[in-house]
Amino acid sequence: MRVVLKIVKKALPSVSMYFIIFFGMTIAMSFLTGKDQEKMYQATELTIYVEDKDTSVLSNALTEYLAKENEVETEYDKELLSELLFSGLVDYVVYFEEGFEENFLSGKKGGIERQSTKPNMAFVDQKIELFFQYVRGELAMGKTLEDACASVLKNTENRAETEVLSGRQAMSTRPGYFFFTFLAYILPCILIMVLGPVMYSFYRKDIKMRTDCGKVTVRKQNIEVVKGIALVAVALWALFMGLGAIIYHRDFTPAEYLLGTLNSLVMLLFSVAISVLLGVLLPNVEALNGASNILGLGMSFLCGVFVPAYLLPDYVNKIGEFLPAGWYMKNVILLNEENAATEHFTEFLMNCGVVTAFAVAVFFVFLVVVKRKKVA
Amino acid sequence: MSTVVKIENLVKRYKELVAVDHMNLSIGKGEIFGLLGPNGSGKSTIINCLLSLTDYDKGEITVFGEKMRADNYSVKGRIGVVLQNVAVFDELTVYENIDYFCSLYVSDKEKRKTLVQEAIAFVGLEEFVKFYPKKLSGGLLRRLNIACGIAHKPELIIFDEPTVAVDPQSRNKILEGIQELNRQGATVIYTSHYMEEVEQICSRIAIIDKGQLVATGTKDELKSMIQTGETIRVEVPELTSDVLFGLEKLSHVLSVEYNDGLATIKCNGGRHNVLHVLEYLNNTETSFGRVFAEQPTLNDVFLEITGKELRDEVQ
């Protein structure tokens, strides 16, 4: 067991990094979802300064048109305008010179000047040009300028509505949700990095030959390795769950947190099983680190860990059902709703059972691989 | 001399390939027994069968008078193994590695501490005890590999090609170490395809080819099994056919070849062969230059018995 711990010690710097990232991400996401999300989304408005020397129907209509989606100011001190533009307090300036409307009606250009210091203001130019096109279109239909402007202003009243989803279909507002969610990524990742090298070292052909020559029975040697692996796995899991309990105990009832703990325990079983299998299958420790990322990230993206399942295409969700993290996440979603996990306790247990079945299947494959290695 | 290892009628097959073919060997206490053969001849398979690391199809292996089985831990405790590949944990230091492998035989921590320190001193790794294997050179790694196999002071030590890819200086140190272990009372089984090493340290040698035992005995016994004895090479600028014929007629001369000013005379035993050849050349007023005389090597033995060079199949 001492050797197991020595090997694990070598992986600790990387594990610490993952540990910090995990809790950093979890706390950050929890903090963000703790706020009223609707306040987090705000339409972008520009500050536009308009100086109108024409005071015509057309200039008034265009000013009104711009004011629909932007903040239009006409009271700025002209001498300060350059400074306001430079400092970004004003995004765009429109000057209507005398004769602007006349020029427009006679098909001449001019009478309007535009100014901006920001590079991304071309879309305001486009909006103004679009306004002119609409008015010309209306005039071509025989309307007077007043009617044409009124028609354009009326037709551009509709604004695209943005809605922040709420309820089960939306992102959780329960901060602890992210703690259980990200466990589906971090547990397999860390355990492959920590336990994989242990199994790789002990089952390396030359080392195995040497240890098999020893006076200590193979059974006793295996027990020592299993003890070491169990100790490390349980210690890491307990650390996560302990810190999770300290930070998020208010988000769940004791029964819910207990169910979350059970759910993470079966995920731990699967993570241990996949770690020991990869440890005896892969040719070196570098390959194990690669596998840890591929498996951890791959499973997380396919099972709705990083992107909620309701935002993923159906076929991705179908693939997720063939992965243990998919079933783990079903339980996390139940935990996210108040009392859902306790009310759907049978479903919750069944999901845990599926993850356990995955763990048993992977462990069985591990035994077959070890047996085949011995025969070879 | 009591028998330490007895292999009777051993057969090991890998599907169609017969890796070990009805092998019989007997190794006595205090011997350095060499298993000599080209790569793929079955040396390592014999060792794996002997250590019960692999199953075999037929035969019986007895070690220290007991039938060798994978679960015969009392016998295993008396054997030390130094395998061909360096088998150590990269995550453990030199000291920790030796201590771990010693712990597979010795559970008493205090006793083990002494044994580990003795093993470190024996292989000369005192300055590197806190080093990790990745920081060691190839030669030092081999020494660590040996220390891991011998720290528990086994009565029988098996060395499977311990000098592969080792520099000459480290190789000599390893060979001297093996002889020292033998002087301290250990019986040694040494496999190699380097005939010079086997000839240098082994008291008895078994020559193996294609899984079969070709010959066994001391190096002198093996050499006496073949017709070729001493080989004499003489630089002769001109050699007439009469003189060549005369050389062939000398007693104990097996054959004479003459190529590019060099006469190669092969003898089968006899004494003072060089003297007789030079005397004949003087008598026939044949001028000659440098003279070389070589005793038969194990390669000659292998060549004569199998019809192929041992060197042809080695690196």
Side-chain angles (χ1 to χ4, degrees):
Chain A
M1 194 162 81
R2 202 164 42 89
V3 178
V4 173
L5 298 179
K6 285 263 178 190
I7 298 169
V8 168
K9 198 176 151 192
K10 282 259 167 184
L12 279 185
S14 324
V15 171
S16 312
M17 198 180 70
Y18 272 80
F19 194 82
I20 292 165
I21 291 170
F22 169 77
F23 272 103
M25 268 172 66
T26 307
I27 292 167
M29 292 301 284
S30 310
F31 178 74
L32 287 173
T33 52
K35 288 181 174 178
D36 183 352
Q37 288 183 43
E38 286 180 34
K39 284 181 184 169
M40 291 164 61
Y41 297 94
Q42 200 176 17
T44 309
E45 284 192 342
L46 301 176
T47 307
I48 299 174
Y49 175 75
V50 177
E51 187 178 2
D52 190 356
K53 286 184 179 169
D54 196 42
T55 57
S56 58
V57 173
L58 186 65
S59 65
N60 284 334
L62 181 52
T63 306
E64 196 178 330
Y65 170 77
L66 289 172
K68 277 176 183 276
E69 292 179 1
N70 303 291
E71 194 183 334
V72 173
E73 299 283 349
T74 52
E75 300 298 321
Y76 280 114
D77 183 346
K78 203 177 171 184
E79 287 176 4
L80 283 174
L81 196 60
S82 300
E83 277 183 38
L84 291 169
L85 265 171
F86 181 75
S87 61
L89 291 172
V90 169
D91 298 300
Y92 200 88
V93 179
V94 184
Y95 300 102
F96 295 112
E97 292 166 2
E98 279 181 36
F100 158 67
E101 188 180 277
E102 269 182 46
N103 283 340
F104 176 80
L105 291 171
S106 58
K108 289 179 192 168
K109 287 196 172 181
I112 180 168
E113 275 185 32
R114 289 166 269 188
Q115 195 180 348
S116 176
T117 53
K118 294 184 177 175
N120 56 346
M121 289 297 126
F123 76 96
V124 185
D125 295 335
Q126 284 172 2
K127 283 199 79 136
I128 293 171
E129 292 305 325
L130 204 61
F131 174 81
F132 291 151
Q133 278 178 27
Y134 287 152
V135 174
R136 280 194 194 103
E138 296 288 338
L139 289 173
M141 286 195 294
K143 290 184 182 175
T144 61
L145 182 62
E146 287 82 359
D147 289 344
C149 289
S151 181
V152 170
L153 287 172
K154 192 183 174 191
N155 290 337
T156 53
E157 264 175 8
N158 296 332
R159 241 178 119 160
E161 291 297 324
T162 308
E163 189 188 355
V164 178
L165 293 173
S166 58
R168 191 173 179 173
Q169 286 295 304
M171 197 179 275
S172 169
T173 50
R174 234 174 174 181
Y177 165 81
F178 292 102
F179 169 69
F180 286 116
T181 300
F182 293 150
L183 272 182
Y185 164 67
I186 209 75
L187 278 179
C189 245
I190 280 191
L191 288 174
I192 291 169
M193 279 201 304
V194 170
L195 302 183
V198 172
M199 297 307 287
Y200 166 74
S201 294
F202 275 95
Y203 282 86
R204 235 172 70 191
K205 193 184 171 192
D206 42 9
I207 296 256
K208 188 84 182 87
M209 281 171 88
R210 178 163 257 169
T211 51
D212 282 356
C213 289
K215 197 179 168 183
V216 176
T217 64
V218 175
R219 189 167 170 269
K220 200 173 171 187
Q221 286 178 45
N222 288 342
I223 287 171
E224 286 300 305
V225 176
V226 169
K227 268 162 62 181
I229 281 176
L231 177 74
V232 172
V234 170
L236 279 171
W237 173 73
L239 189 64
F240 277 112
M241 297 317 293
L243 280 173
I246 293 166
I247 303 170
Y248 299 110
H249 69 280
R250 283 184 190 149
D251 295 331
F252 301 97
T253 63
E256 281 174 337
Y257 197 83
L258 207 64
L259 286 177
T261 306
L262 172 70
N263 197 34
S264 67
L265 182 66
V266 292
M267 195 60 194
L268 177 83
L269 285 180
F270 168 76
S271 304
V272 170
I274 196 75
S275 304
V276 296
L277 173 65
L278 292 175
V280 295
L281 267 184
L282 295 180
N284 52 49
V285 175
E286 287 72 28
L288 277 167
N289 289 338
S292 140
N293 284 316
I294 291 167
L295 191 102
L297 289 173
M299 207 158 65
S300 299
F301 278 113
L302 291 171
C303 301
V305 173
F306 295 141
V307 181
Y310 67 90
L311 292 177
L312 295 171
D314 284 346
Y315 73 90
V316 175
N317 285 325
K318 281 277 173 209
I319 295 169
E321 287 190 1
F322 291 96
L323 296 167
W327 295 87
Y328 170 86
M329 282 304 294
K330 285 184 182 188
N331 277 350
V332 175
I333 290 165
L334 281 177
L335 281 170
N336 189 39
E337 281 184 56
E338 264 181 54
N339 302 322
T342 42
E343 281 165 13
H344 300 88
F345 186 61
T346 317
E347 186 189 338
F348 190 93
L349 282 186
M350 199 195 79
N351 294 341
C352 284
V354 175
V355 180
T356 311
F358 270 107
V360 171
V362 172
F363 191 71
F364 181 74
V365 176
F366 160 75
L367 292 177
V368 172
V369 171
V370 168
K371 178 93 178 160
R372 284 183 71 88
K373 275 198 162 192
K374 197 181 174 190
V375 173
Chain B
M1 185 168 60
S2 60
T3 303
V4 173
V5 176
K6 194 167 187 182
I7 297 173
E8 292 174 291
N9 218 19
L10 180 70
V11 177
K12 170 68 186 175
R13 289 191 189 91
Y14 292 108
K15 293 182 181 170
E16 298 302 309
L17 178 80
V18 183
V20 182
D21 191 1
H22 295 88
M23 180 69 59
N24 288 287
L25 283 176
S26 180
I27 299 163
K29 187 172 166 53
E31 280 192 288
I32 300 183
F33 190 87
L35 284 177
L36 179 66
N39 287 330
S41 59
K43 303 184 299 289
S44 293
T45 309
I46 294 170
I47 297 301
N48 289 346
C49 291
L50 172 60
L51 293 166
S52 286
L53 291 173
T54 184
D55 297 330
Y56 43 90
D57 299 285
K58 198 177 161 188
E60 193 168 288
I61 298 172
T62 313
V63 182
F64 297 117
E66 290 183 44
K67 192 178 175 193
M68 188 60 188
R69 293 188 316 269
D71 60 351
N72 195 340
Y73 294 104
S74 62
V75 172
K76 280 185 168 183
R78 298 165 74 182
I79 303 174
V81 185
V82 179
L83 294 166
Q84 195 169 343
N85 295 323
V86 176
V88 293
F89 288 98
D90 293 335
E91 297 84 357
L92 303 186
T93 62
V94 165
Y95 185 94
E96 288 165 345
N97 262 300
I98 302 171
D99 183 53
Y100 173 74
F101 288 110
C102 191
S103 75
L104 296 175
Y105 301 88
V106 182
S107 53
D108 185 308
K109 277 186 184 173
E110 281 306 309
K111 191 178 171 190
R112 202 163 70 225
K113 200 173 172 183
T114 314
L115 288 171
V116 171
Q117 275 161 355
E118 282 175 8
I120 287 168
F122 184 80
V123 294
L125 284 175
E126 295 96 328
E127 292 172 29
F128 305 97
V129 284
K130 287 185 179 171
F131 278 54
Y132 285 94
K134 281 189 177 169
K135 298 277 178 192
L136 299 179
S137 67
L140 292 176
L141 266 178
R142 287 277 166 190
R143 288 198 232 167
L144 170 61
N145 198 34
I146 292 171
C148 291
I150 61 152
H152 60 289
K153 293 220 183 312
E155 295 166 59
L156 169 65
I157 310 173
I158 296 167
F159 288 92
D160 190 6
E161 311 235 19
T163 58
V164 172
V166 170
D167 60 278
Q169 199 184 346
S170 294
R171 178 180 293 192
N172 285 337
K173 201 158 173 74
I174 289 169
L175 295 180
E176 283 167 18
I178 291 169
Q179 286 174 309
E180 179 55 30
L181 287 167
N182 179 247
R183 275 194 289 275
Q184 290 173 8
T187 303
V188 174
I189 298 176
Y190 186 86
T191 82
S192 180
H193 57 242
Y194 297 124
M195 59 179 177
E196 296 85 358
E197 288 180 2
V198 173
E199 210 169 333
Q200 186 184 333
I201 67 166
C202 295
S203 50
R204 254 179 0 115
I205 300 155
I207 297 179
I208 293 159
D209 186 42
K210 292 178 181 169
Q212 290 181 321
L213 182 64
V214 174
T216 182
T218 62
K219 59 185 173 189
D220 291 331
E221 283 169 350
L222 288 172
K223 287 172 187 176
S224 67
M225 283 178 190
I226 58 170
Q227 272 198 317
T228 310
E230 196 172 19
T231 301
I232 302 160
R233 288 186 178 85
V234 188
E235 286 178 353
V236 186
E238 278 181 41
L239 192 68
T240 62
S241 54
D242 286 346
V243 175
L244 191 69
F245 185 71
L247 281 170
E248 281 175 347
K249 287 290 171 194
L250 289 174
S251 60
H252 301 297
V253 170
L254 270 176
S255 64
V256 181
E257 282 178 25
Y258 181 67
N259 285 315
D260 299 328
L262 188 73
T264 305
I265 303 137
K266 291 195 170 180
C267 308
N268 61 347
R271 298 177 71 190
H272 310 301
N273 291 322
V274 177
L275 203 62
H276 293 151
V277 167
L278 297 182
E279 210 170 54
Y280 178 77
L281 290 174
N282 268 329
N283 291 343
T284 54
E285 294 182 343
T286 307
S287 58
F288 57 89
R290 289 181 295 174
V291 179
F292 309 93
E294 283 175 11
Q295 291 302 313
T297 63
L298 290 175
N299 189 52
D300 295 318
V301 178
F302 194 79
L303 174 66
E304 201 162 312
I305 296 174
T306 65
K308 61 187 177 188
E309 295 254 1
L310 183 59
R311 290 177 200 278
D312 288 348
E313 309 209 10
V314 301
Q315 301 300 315

